[in-house]
Amino acid sequence: MNEPEIKARVLEIIKSIAPELEEGELRADRPLRDQIDLDSMDWLNVLIAVHEKLHVDIPEADYGKLVTLDKLVAYLRDKLAQRAA
Amino acid sequence: MIEFKLPSLGADMDQGKLLEWKVKPGDVVKRGQVVAVVDTSKAAVEVEIWQDGTLLEQLVPIGETVPVGTVLATLLQPGETPEQAALHKREAPAARPAPKPAAPAAAVAAPSAAPLAQRRPVSPAARKRASELKLDIDKVAGSGPHGAVTIEDVEKAAARAAPAPADRYAEMRKAIAAAMSRSKREIPHYYLSETIPMQRAAEWLARENEKRPVTERVLIGALQLKAVALALAKAPELNGFWLNGAFQPASGVHIGIAISIRQGGLIAPAIHDVDKKSLVELMRALGDLVSRARAGSLRSSEMSDPTITVTNLGDQGVEAVFGVIYPPQVALVGFGRLETRPWAEGGELRAVPLVTASLSADHRASDGIRGARFLAELRERLQHPEEL
């Protein structure tokens, strides 16, 4: 799966949790949770959906690396590439 | 004979509109089963029944708005015959002496107006009512002779039309305004707060979550909820209701969870018996409740019986929250954000994650000393996360 595909899947997941999200208003290089008001339960639901749909389990210790949409997508790209290798 | 009444669904709800019957006459129902769906200003609520029986008669048609306490249906007790029930009915007449027939199934809005439908007879009164209700008369199915559209058909179709989101928000705002004004008018609030070191809890939780798959991870909010439930054992005057001029302690710990609705507004349905649930069970219940509250689908038992409310505004970044009690409850516990700050302990200054817990309590039901004891117990419980 390439990066644009991963990004589309992640946006789909976020939209299922925050349906009011306007993609055009989301800055991929700014902190994600502040922009779309994801509380800790919403965030956990995003990660559960990532686990179910992309089969990537993100440990809690890595949450700090996933602040922006760009960083989350890059993280998933690396994890998926590692698995494919 | 059992009379199934519309239960109270919280202080800010005194009526509801029947949206759907989940059972029909002759169906056997079990205690705890959802038998009807009722629309309130806050959500479409699935109404449960708390007795076993067999549905005898539906007394309220779909689309009708009725006050809390109205008999919605009658049921036969296990072993009872309709004849015995009729006898009972004569002895003690029901609240609604003239039961209306159930809404005919044909009277639903037609998905699209067929050309033929336009030639159906429509009574002038029905046409006028449709125009008042801003309803397209061609889309209303008729139940009269030759498919005639009656004024009743128009009103039923209007009742079925889902309220627009803006209306729902305005209604919810009104309901919140009524409950909160009543609270501040009637309840003499007192407020206490306590800074709680969370290092042990946070470290324990990080270790636990490391072992768990993402689907079983526990949030610190769940730890706080469980600690509140257990600490209430030391302060039973905070768990219950102020009714008819006296405090009535609750038999279980059913915590109302303040949940913000994405489109605006707030709802606080209960998780039952929080003190008896494991953290994983509590997380599951919390996730399920939040998603159903946001989708507008809750159960009557969740709406009617929270015994205390917990609000957590930590994710929104505030340091502390001093909430307004939701009547007839007598207390509300608030949590602010988890933040690492300087903390002195045993003569040493260290950087420690801290949270401010607050208590808003009804001074008619408890005194500050009891509230203080509760917060001290809450702090203590959070120092032993492995016991939660």
Side-chain angles (χ1 to χ4, degrees):
Chain A
M1 203 181 299
N2 63 27
E3 216 167 302
E5 280 167 358
I6 297 172
K7 191 170 176 175
R9 296 293 287 277
V10 170
L11 278 171
E12 216 173 274
I13 288 168
I14 294 173
K15 269 194 163 170
S16 71
I17 286 151
E20 75 284 7
L21 170 71
E22 299 278 345
E23 266 179 59
E25 288 170 17
L26 185 67
R27 289 279 306 261
D29 58 346
R30 296 257 177 93
L32 183 64
R33 284 176 59 180
D34 297 352
Q35 291 182 80
I36 41 178
D37 195 18
L38 292 178
D39 63 21
S40 37
M41 180 59 82
D42 295 328
W43 178 241
L44 185 58
N45 284 333
V46 167
L47 299 180
I48 289 173
V50 165
H51 161 85
E52 281 165 0
K53 300 208 164 116
L54 301 173
H55 311 289
V56 176
D57 212 349
I58 303 176
E60 211 178 49
D62 286 350
Y63 288 5
K65 299 178 192 167
L66 313 171
V67 183
T68 67
L69 180 62
D70 281 346
K71 285 185 174 158
L72 176 57
V73 170
Y75 178 93
L76 291 172
R77 179 202 59 207
D78 292 351
K79 284 272 175 179
L80 289 166
Q82 272 171 27
R83 200 166 58 198
Chain B
M1 193 177 64
I2 303 164
E3 289 184 340
F4 171 58
K5 294 179 182 166
L6 179 62
S8 165
L9 303 174
D12 45 8
M13 182 221 151
D14 47 19
Q15 60 178 29
K17 180 162 86 177
L18 187 70
L19 289 184
E20 188 183 349
W21 278 109
K22 292 276 191 191
V23 290
K24 54 184 191 306
D27 285 358
V28 174
V29 299
K30 291 251 167 275
R31 183 186 150 81
Q33 187 176 337
V34 172
V35 296
V37 182
V38 169
D39 198 30
T40 72
S41 57
K42 288 193 166 184
V45 178
E46 296 184 332
V47 184
E48 300 136 303
I49 192 159
W50 297 105
Q51 281 166 294
D52 293 343
T54 304
L55 196 84
L56 186 64
E57 201 176 4
Q58 298 167 342
L59 300 181
V60 173
I62 288 167
E64 189 162 319
T65 299
V66 293
V68 165
T70 302
V71 180
L72 298 178
T74 53
L75 294 99
L76 296 176
Q77 286 171 13
E80 195 182 23
T81 65
E83 292 73 32
Q84 286 168 326
L87 201 70
H88 171 90
K89 206 169 166 183
R90 270 200 296 280
E91 282 164 6
R96 284 176 74 94
K100 294 190 175 178
V108 292
S112 64
L116 266 176
Q118 289 171 1
R119 276 184 242 125
R120 294 167 314 166
V122 178
S123 80
R127 199 174 288 282
K128 179 166 175 287
R129 190 78 186 110
S131 134
E132 282 165 8
L133 294 168
K134 298 191 172 54
L135 204 70
D136 183 354
I137 192 86
D138 292 337
K139 291 192 177 154
V140 179
S143 67
H146 311 294
V149 179
T150 65
I151 193 160
E152 227 184 335
D153 294 331
V154 171
E155 285 177 346
K156 273 178 199 147
R160 263 189 212 93
D167 290 350
R168 166 80 80 188
Y169 177 67
E171 283 301 308
M172 186 183 276
R173 216 50 269 161
K174 261 192 246 168
I176 294 170
M180 295 299 98
S181 303
R182 179 183 152 200
S183 174
K184 280 282 175 165
R185 209 165 42 235
E186 293 177 5
I187 303 178
H189 288 63
Y190 69 87
Y191 305 96
L192 304 173
S193 77
E194 169 76 1
T195 303
I196 300 181
M198 292 293 283
Q199 185 153 16
R200 286 186 196 97
E203 286 174 0
W204 178 82
L205 197 58
R207 280 197 304 276
E208 279 295 306
N209 280 341
E210 214 172 310
K211 292 184 255 171
R212 294 169 193 251
V214 66
T215 46
E216 282 176 27
R217 259 172 229 167
V218 174
L219 296 172
I220 203 131
L223 242 61
Q224 292 168 339
L225 274 183
K226 184 74 186 284
V228 165
L230 296 177
L232 281 170
K234 283 268 167 92
E237 295 95 330
L238 301 176
N239 187 54
F241 313 101
W242 184 265
L243 290 169
N244 306 319
F247 174 67
Q248 290 182 9
S251 52
V253 180
H254 311 318
I255 299 187
I257 313 294
I259 298 169
S260 66
I261 306 297
R262 289 200 155 271
Q263 297 77 14
L266 177 73
I267 195 162
I271 297 181
H272 295 118
D273 299 311
V274 174
D275 53 333
K276 298 189 180 79
K277 285 190 162 64
S278 72
L279 287 175
V280 171
E281 286 169 340
L282 204 48
M283 268 310 288
R284 252 180 231 140
L286 197 58
D288 174 52
L289 194 68
V290 170
S291 62
R292 282 190 298 108
R294 293 205 169 133
S297 160
L298 292 163
R299 294 189 197 112
S300 55
S301 55
E302 293 165 338
M303 299 297 291
S304 58
D305 69 356
T307 58
I308 184 169
T309 297
V310 169
T311 183
N312 191 328
L313 284 179
D315 279 323
Q316 276 62 42
V318 296
E319 196 173 310
V321 47
F322 297 89
V324 180
I325 299 166
Y326 189 81
Q329 294 164 42
V330 295
L332 179 143
V333 178
F335 289 98
R337 71 171 179 269
L338 191 67
E339 191 183 33
T340 300
R341 279 186 284 153
W343 182 253
E345 203 175 77
E348 272 185 42
L349 189 63
R350 290 188 298 132
V352 170
L354 304 170
V355 74
T356 303
S358 66
L359 171 72
S360 311
D362 185 337
H363 217 326
R364 297 173 301 182
S366 70
D367 300 322
I369 189 157
R370 189 60 86 170
R373 202 168 293 165
F374 166 76
L375 284 180
E377 180 67 13
L378 177 63
R379 182 191 56 210
E380 199 47 36
R381 292 278 181 177
L382 284 167
Q383 306 316 305
H384 304 283
E386 68 288 347
E387 290 168 16
L388 291 174

